[in-house]
Amino acid sequence: MTDSNRSRLLALREETLARLESLGLSRDDVVAASAGANVDDEHDPEGATIAFERAQLQALIERGRERIGEIDAALDRVADGSYGICEVCGGPIGEPRLDARPTASRCVVHA
């Protein structure tokens, strides 16, 4: 079971890294598109949209980085044998919860 958990987490990590790379490229495209323009976010009707897109992409990038940290922590738990054990009560984290949220470190009761 440990190998399948590790494999699933590694695949999730690779997927998240690919998404982060894509988001970074998208953010770079938005920044580059607005770099040559005389954009006044406060008064230009398009300015607010550009600022919103940049902020939204940055938030998604930050969440992706957090996700990588969660995945790495779960991989550490796989390595030390504590994966699937609630960090609060020491009881098992149910398979349905781990299927839905592979990085879970707490059982449903302590989530």
Side-chain angles (χ1 to χ4, degrees):
M1 185 68 160
T2 300
D3 287 337
S4 65
N5 291 327
R6 185 175 186 281
S7 296
R8 180 173 52 169
L9 289 166
L10 288 172
L12 185 58
R13 189 177 198 286
E14 288 302 315
E15 177 185 313
T16 304
L17 285 172
R19 189 174 311 129
L20 272 172
E21 182 178 347
S22 175
L23 287 170
L25 293 173
S26 295
R27 184 181 183 286
D28 292 346
D29 289 344
V30 169
V31 170
S34 65
N38 184 13
V39 177
D40 178 358
D41 285 1
E42 186 175 339
H43 298 101
D44 183 355
E46 290 299 313
T49 302
I50 293 168
F52 174 77
E53 287 177 13
R54 272 194 319 250
Q56 185 177 34
L57 286 168
Q58 188 59 41
L60 290 170
I61 289 168
E62 288 172 15
R63 179 59 191 125
R65 288 177 181 152
E66 290 172 7
R67 184 78 171 144
I68 292 294
E70 292 170 358
I71 295 166
D72 288 345
L75 285 166
D76 288 344
R77 290 192 301 277
V78 168
D80 72 17
S82 64
Y83 183 79
I85 299 171
C86 177
E87 67 183 10
V88 176
C89 68
I93 298 172
E95 283 300 317
R97 176 157 171 77
L98 289 173
D99 287 341
R101 187 180 164 109
T103 60
S105 62
R106 296 176 179 197
C107 65
V108 173
V109 173
H110 294 107

